[in-house]
Amino acid sequence: MKADLGDLNAFLAVAQARGFRDAARNVGSSASTLSEAVRRLETRLGVRLLHRTTRSVKLTEAGMRLVERLRPALDEVEAALDVINLFRDRPAGTLRLNVPVSAARLVLPAILPGFLADYPDIQIEVVADDGFVDMVASGCDAGIRYDERLEQDMIAMPIGPRVQRFATAASPAYLDARGRPGHPRDLLAHACLRGRFTSGALTSPWEFERDGEIVRVEPQGPLIASVAGAADLLVDMAIGGSGIVSLFEDWLRPAIDRGVLEPVLPEWWQAFSGPYLYYSGRRLLPPPLRAFIEHIRANAPAVSN
């Protein structure tokens, strides 16, 4: 039985977004257009694929089975069409990246300008998401994650700085008023500005390390903000004298260099390995992704510490 490829893509978009309106925003269409496409597909197949209510959309058992088989199949169709790019003088198309907010802020700005200058026919779409997602199922070509967050059956290559550190800092005025901690446990007597991940977990305990000794403390303080969307608020509150903040060193470095934040316990700042670009090794690489990988390899010394 033949089915229209556009209708199949419309159904998959609705299934992944779990709603017609969100799916329409994701694919740049209208909810009514997607609804009509799904209705045509259901009529052609002779089976209901979605349970629709005024508030939600849920997959039927038939719909769930179709999604399981459809996503890999459409990926292969897209990869087959991408082969045409091999006959172009320059790679073209869209590269979709799923990255944590920290990578969008601290890693990609050092890489993307040069890449886009070298490949003007490629468009980058970045999804900043601190949650642990299935990169392939989300429709992205590649992702950036730290080694402990890599998905199985993925190829990983270093991207960006190979060593990073967590740093703590506060405004000089705050430290003049409250005192400067000499040991991580001294933080228990201070106002600490904490973050919360998308999962709901707090960015605590704060962990410090010096000469092989690891110290973990559970800080308390007046503010908790989403790391995914309000990390800059944590920095601004620290600059304003509200307490001590703990974030990536590169995130705090501009404020430290300007003198509006002062390092706290720098000899205890803990280092960790840098991020990795990861992608599926089970499919033909789309030309935009292949070009991005080659760019990372060719410019590794320029973007690594």
Side-chain angles (χ1 to χ4, degrees), residues 168 180-187 208 263-269:
T168 43
R180 287 165 172 78
H183 188 277
R185 294 190 184 91
D186 295 340
L187 294 172
F208 300 85
V264 172
L265 301 169
E267 67 278 9
W268 284 91
W269 289 356

Side-chain angles (χ1 to χ4, degrees), residues 26 47 51 53 67 69 76 80 102 104 142 158 196 200 252 296:
N26 291 341
V47 64
H51 292 302
T53 70
V67 168
R69 302 294 297 272
E76 288 303 318
S102 59
R196 190 183 295 278
L252 299 179
I296 297 302

Side-chain angles (χ1 to χ4, degrees), residues 6-23:
D7 291 349
L8 290 171
N9 274 307
F11 163 69
L12 190 60
V14 174
Q16 290 177 334
R18 298 184 180 182
F20 286 95
R21 290 183 180 178
D22 288 342

Side-chain angles (χ1 to χ4, degrees), residues 28-235:
S29 182
S30 67
S32 60
T33 297
L34 294 181
S35 179
E36 180 60 30
V38 173
R39 188 175 292 108
R40 281 197 305 269
L41 181 61
E42 290 178 325
T43 300
R44 184 172 292 127
L45 297 177
V47 64
R48 181 178 292 278
L49 301 173
L50 298 172
H51 292 302
R52 302 169 177 83
T53 70
T54 56
R55 294 186 177 182
S56 66
V57 170
K58 294 183 179 180
L59 289 167
T60 65
E61 183 177 356
M64 288 188 286
R65 294 288 183 88
L66 182 58
V67 168
E68 290 174 0
R69 302 294 297 272
L70 193 56
R71 179 72 266 178
L74 290 180
D75 282 344
E76 288 303 318
V77 171
E78 184 177 343
L81 293 175
D82 279 336
V83 171
I84 301 301
N85 275 325
L86 297 175
F87 296 92
R88 300 178 186 269
D89 293 334
R90 294 180 300 190
T94 299
L95 173 62
R96 298 176 180 86
L97 300 175
N98 183 287
V99 308
V101 173
S102 59
R105 172 71 180 268
L106 305 176
V107 176
L108 291 182
I111 298 172
L112 293 189
F115 174 73
L116 292 175
D118 290 344
Y119 298 97
D121 295 327
I122 292 178
Q123 180 183 61
I124 302 287
E125 181 177 339
V126 176
V127 178
D129 186 353
D130 280 319
F132 187 59
V133 301
D134 184 329
M135 181 268 296
V136 174
S138 70
C140 291
D141 301 297
I144 295 178
R145 287 294 183 270
Y146 289 85
D147 51 0
E148 72 273 14
R149 300 293 300 277
L150 294 181
E151 298 177 18
Q152 295 181 352
D153 301 323
M154 290 287 170
I155 296 174
M157 63 175 292
I159 183 172
R162 298 322 310 139
V163 177
Q164 294 180 280
R165 293 195 299 176
F166 287 115
T168 43
S171 70
Y174 172 88
L175 296 173
D176 288 343
R178 297 287 298 270
R180 287 165 172 78
H183 188 277
R185 294 190 184 91
D186 295 340
L187 294 172
L188 296 176
H190 282 267
C192 295
L193 311 174
R194 296 170 292 165
R196 190 183 295 278
F197 294 114
T198 304
S199 66
L202 289 172
T203 57
S204 61
W206 290 1
E207 191 167 290
F208 300 85
E209 183 175 4
R210 185 176 69 174
D211 299 330
E213 179 187 3
I214 296 178
V215 177
R216 298 178 179 89
V217 297
E218 292 281 357
Q220 300 297 317
L223 175 67
I224 298 174
S226 165
V227 174
D232 285 336
L233 174 62
L234 293 170
V235 177

